């Protein structure tokens, strides 16, 4: 099973036996299913009780990437409309993304019309930008905009909207898909596990002796509408881990404390960095020590994966049959996860990406 | 705080004190995102900094527009990276010549509050979180003696600045211990367009130059010991270390 951040729709034929609600929940009223890794007692509580579940000395790691207005309207030189969804951060004037046919997010991604055929060297309009196609692989494209710097960024924010899916028809404003600590706009979709982390809760964690560290991970798209592409998700994603975060992880580990990832993007960044560190030790360098700085996460986690750095995580709720459910089973036995989701359904929790949460530790 | 290498955001940066602050920060090695409504004067201000070897970017936007604020923050961080310094300098007097409060339209008071109070609040809400988790950042609110003194005809502006001072103090109290400093600064009377709009008869020769005031404010940003979190400082009584 592949690691996917958010499987927004049950995989076709997925035998989901439980019915989680699929509506949005105010970030101040999120509920939390607490799932111990090594015990059978499940419980449901308010997300705001998070500090009570952690111990002084534990470390919480968040992804501080802000969400890009990654859905952009486009048009070929022949006048054919398309939607460009950015899948990665904008690098200078280079745009990476996926093309969808005419229409909008109200149509399920897999039912969207195919994008117009576009060839290398073609000039297309994207919002107010004019861009040259420099790479095409199916729906995946790489464009170089004629505009740069101030003009490019103004145009992106003028015509871009957050990427959305069909289960929520209304267009979300950009502010609705940002965490309370978002910084650089690197994420194609919101690192939504951090949405319920209000400053009230973050400061309560600090008072409880729990340190909070950041990394920036360029969360990509969770769906492209193309089966072959979707099976290969997530694609390699850029991340950056500050030196201070590396130090805090080392200190927590040395004390015997736990590292809690807020969201699977944090899991992917930290475990990919750990993998890189292991590889680096082959050359006799830095034997297994995490390194600060930038990297590209290529690691694909699944139920067989044994996490090296991350001891626990906060995530959205995902029913059996969703690929994300499989990822969580790297941390907790499948049977217990199934019972947790049933319990959540019984209590009316929501599996919307702006819905309720679970804490596994 | 060391200015060099910081990402900075300055509102109202096309003219007057804002422009001088952007220049002073860029001269010390900050990458500056400059926000103003009028694209023409803003482009000119950015070009001047670039001609002097500084790093500056233009974001043409209205800070009082709720939908614009996340775009401003996103564009700024796309262009200059993490923001370590945010200066809320943009402000409006409301209609000029200045009017008595009893002659002030309700809508005009509301518009002044949107620009001078709610806009900075919204922008700080977006930028301060990342600063606090990184454990470093400075937020400066440009205030006025009209926030403290009751000058007839300065009602709408004075009310907005008094409220902004309190915004600054409460934010500082809530962020205490995170490494973020929140300051309010009374710049004093300067030779700016705003001053000329408010008091056309003033003799510019008796007014401070914006560049001199900007140098003092940048010095406050640098001086963690003296310009402590939560303080309201007067630029006139601040001594710039040699």
């Amino acid at each position: 099973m592949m690691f996917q951040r958010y499987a927004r729709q049950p995989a076709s034929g997925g035998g989901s036996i439980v019915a989680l609600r699929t509506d949005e929940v105010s970030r101040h009223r999120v509920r939390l299913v607490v799932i111990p890794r090594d015990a059978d007692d499940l419980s449901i509580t308010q997300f705001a009780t998070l500090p009570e579940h952690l111990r002084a000395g534990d470390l919480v790691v968040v992804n501080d990437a802000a969400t890009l207005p990654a859905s952009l309207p486009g048009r070929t030189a022949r006048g054919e409309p398309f939607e460009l969804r950015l899948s990665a951060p904008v690098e200078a004037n280079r745009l990476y993304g996926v093309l969808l046919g005419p229409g909008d997010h109200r149509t399920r991604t897999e039912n969207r019309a195919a994008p117009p055929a576009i060839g290398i060297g073609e000039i297309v309009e994207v919002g107010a930008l004019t861009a040259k196609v420099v790479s095409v692989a199916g729906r995946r494209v790489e464009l170089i905009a004629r505009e740069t710097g101030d003009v490019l960024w103004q145009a992106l924010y003028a015509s871009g909207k957050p990427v959305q899916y069909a289960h929520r028809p209304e267009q979300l404003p950009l502010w609705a898909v940002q965490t309370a600590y978002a910084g650089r706009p690197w994420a194609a979709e919101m690192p939504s596990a951090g949405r319920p982390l209000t400053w009230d809760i973050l400061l309560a964690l600090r008072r409880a002796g729990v340190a909070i560290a950041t990394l920036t991970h360029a969360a990509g798209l969770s769906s492209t509408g193309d089966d072959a592409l979707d099976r290969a998700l997530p694609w390699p994603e850029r991340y950056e881990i500050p030196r201070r975060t590396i130090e805090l992880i080392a200190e927590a580990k040395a004390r015997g404390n736990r590292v809690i990832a807020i969201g699977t993007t944090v899991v992917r960044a930290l475990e990919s960095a750990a993998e890189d560190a292991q590889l680096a030790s082959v050359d006799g360098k830095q034997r297994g020590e995490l390194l600060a700085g930038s990297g590209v996460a290529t690691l694909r986690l699944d139920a067989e994966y044994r996490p090296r750095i991350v001891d626990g995580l906060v995530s959205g709720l995902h029913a059996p049959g969703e690929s994300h459910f499989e990822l969580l089973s790297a941390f907790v036995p499948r049977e217990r996860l199934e019972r947790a989701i049933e319990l959540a359904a019984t209590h009316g929790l929501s599996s919307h990406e702006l819905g309720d949460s679970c804490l596994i530790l | 705080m060391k200015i060099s290498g910081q990402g900075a955001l300055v509102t109202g940066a096309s003219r007057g004190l804002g422009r001088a602050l952007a220049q002073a920060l860029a001269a010390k090695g900050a990458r500056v995102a400059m926000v103003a409504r009028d694209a023409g004067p803003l482009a000119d201000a950015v070009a001047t900094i670039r001609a002097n070897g500084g790093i500056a970017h233009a974001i043409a936007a209205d800070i009082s527009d709720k939908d614009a604020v996340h775009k401003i923050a996103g564009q700024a961080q796309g262009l200059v990276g993490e923001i370590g310094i945010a200066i809320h300098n943009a402000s409006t007097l409301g209609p000029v010549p200045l009017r008595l409060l009893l002659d002030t339209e309700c809508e005009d008071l509301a518009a002044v509050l949107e620009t001078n109070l709610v806009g900075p609040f919204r922008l700080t809400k977006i930028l301060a979180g990342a600063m606090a988790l990184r454990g470093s950042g400075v937020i400066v609110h440009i205030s006025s003696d009209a926030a403290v003194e009751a000058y007839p005809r300065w009602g709408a502006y004075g009310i907005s600045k008094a409220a902004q001072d309190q915004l600054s103090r409460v934010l500082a109290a809530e962020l205490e211990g995170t490494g973020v400093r929140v300051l309010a600064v009374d710049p004093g009377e300067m030779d700016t367009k705003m001053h000329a709009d408010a008091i056309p008869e003033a003799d510019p020769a008796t007014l401070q130059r914006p560049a001199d005031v900007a140098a003092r404010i940048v010095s406050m940003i640098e001086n963690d010991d003296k310009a402590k979190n939560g303080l309201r400082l007067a630029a006139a009584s601040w001594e710039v270390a040699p």
Side-chain angles (χ1 to χ4, degrees), chain A residues 27 62 64 66 149-150 153-155 157-158 160 173-176 178 180-185 199 202-203 206 212-214 216 240, chain B residues 46 50 56-61 66-67 70-71 73-75 77-79 81-82 125-126 128-130 132-134 174 177-178:
Chain A
R27 70 191 192 101
V62 301
D64 71 2
D150 307 359
W153 282 94
Q154 191 111 25
Y157 276 87
L174 192 55
W175 50 262
Q178 308 296 345
Y181 42 76
R184 292 172 294 178
W199 272 94
L202 289 165
L203 293 173
R206 285 248 171 103
I212 304 162
T214 62
T216 311
E240 199 175 282
Chain B
V46 167
R50 289 181 179 169
H57 294 281
I59 299 173
K66 181 180 182 186
D67 288 332
H70 266 282
K71 297 178 182 178
Q75 286 170 236
Q77 291 174 102
L79 288 162
E82 294 167 342
K125 229 167 99 65
I126 304 168
L133 285 195
R134 282 200 305 274
E174 291 182 350
T178 63

Side-chain angles (χ1 to χ4, degrees), chain A residues 161-186:
Chain A
K161 294 180 167 63
V163 167
Q164 282 185 236
Y165 293 91
H167 62 261
R168 193 195 197 286
E170 316 91 273
Q171 182 66 55
L172 284 167
L174 192 55
W175 50 262
V177 291
Q178 308 296 345
T179 59
Y181 42 76
R184 292 172 294 178
W186 277 29

Side-chain angles (χ1 to χ4, degrees), chain B residues 55-72:
Chain B
I55 299 173
H57 294 281
I59 299 173
D62 184 345
I63 189 73
S64 71
D65 173 4
K66 181 180 182 186
D67 288 332
V69 180
H70 266 282
K71 297 178 182 178
I72 292 170

Side-chain angles (χ1 to χ4, degrees), chain A residues 306-325:
Chain A
R306 288 296 157 259
R308 291 191 171 98
I309 304 293
V310 177
D311 300 295
L313 80 157
V314 168
S315 168
L317 297 175
H318 301 276
E322 291 184 21
S323 54
H324 192 95
F325 180 90

